[in-house]
């Protein structure tokens, strides 16, 4: 799993990052990758890729150096709308709302 996460982190900004790409890089078939991941996790390979991308997106928001649409590109989402939908599903709010709430908490010193 550590090798998988490193591979995802290394290629996070690439929209070509897919299950097929990961399987090829790990020298196994797609079905073997699914099996190995399911043995150690309750998530599918796609869900793991998305989780890593969204965690990285939240970290980039905390840095404050990028706009939200830039973050969606840097984390490999194919469109800002796909990024927003995935982000909202994971964090329960749209990226802009999440960022505003984070900045408010940071300014209050509660982060």
């Amino acid at each position: 799993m550590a090798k998988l996460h490193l591979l995802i982190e290394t290629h996070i900004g690439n929209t070509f990052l897919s299950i097929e790409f990961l399987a090829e890089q790990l020298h196994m078939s797609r079905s073997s990758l699914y099996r190995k991941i399911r043995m150690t996790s309750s998530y599918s390979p796609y869900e793991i890729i998305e989780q890593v991308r969204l965690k990285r997106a939240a970290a980039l928001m905390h840095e404050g150096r990028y706009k939200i649409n830039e973050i969606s590109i840097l984390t490999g989402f194919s469109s800002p709308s796909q990024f927003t939908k995935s982000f909202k599903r994971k964090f329960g709010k749209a990226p802009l709302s999440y960022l505003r709430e984070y900045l408010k908490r940071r300014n209050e010193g509660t982060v």
Side-chain angles (χ1 to χ4, degrees):
M1 281 300 263
K3 195 172 183 180
L4 176 67
H5 280 277
L6 178 62
L7 192 55
I8 293 170
E9 283 287 340
T10 303
H11 298 283
I12 199 165
N14 298 320
T15 56
F16 69 80
L17 181 60
S18 66
I19 298 158
E20 291 81 12
F21 174 79
L22 293 174
E24 180 182 311
Q25 294 298 308
L26 294 169
H27 307 290
M28 61 179 67
S29 69
R30 180 185 169 134
S31 58
S32 294
L33 178 61
Y34 263 99
R35 255 191 321 278
K36 281 193 172 229
I37 290 173
R38 284 294 188 183
M39 289 172 62
T40 59
S41 171
S42 61
Y43 299 107
S44 72
Y46 174 79
E47 290 168 327
I48 291 173
I49 292 169
E50 187 175 69
Q51 285 182 4
V52 172
R53 283 181 165 159
L54 292 170
K55 285 180 184 177
R56 181 70 178 132
L60 289 171
M61 284 183 194
H62 295 174
E63 288 178 16
R65 295 180 2 198
Y66 303 101
K67 296 176 183 174
I68 291 172
N69 65 337
E70 293 172 321
I71 292 171
S72 73
I73 294 167
L74 289 170
T75 53
F77 284 91
S78 59
S79 70
S81 63
Q82 179 198 13
F83 170 67
T84 299
K85 190 185 315 181
S86 296
F87 195 93
K88 192 171 186 177
R89 191 172 46 245
K90 171 134 176 91
F91 294 104
K93 54 188 78 171
L96 188 56
S97 298
Y98 175 90
L99 181 59
R100 285 180 180 152
E101 186 177 304
Y102 171 78
L103 292 173
K104 182 180 176 189
R105 287 193 333 256
R106 188 177 73 184
N107 290 336
E108 293 170 351
T110 59
V111 174

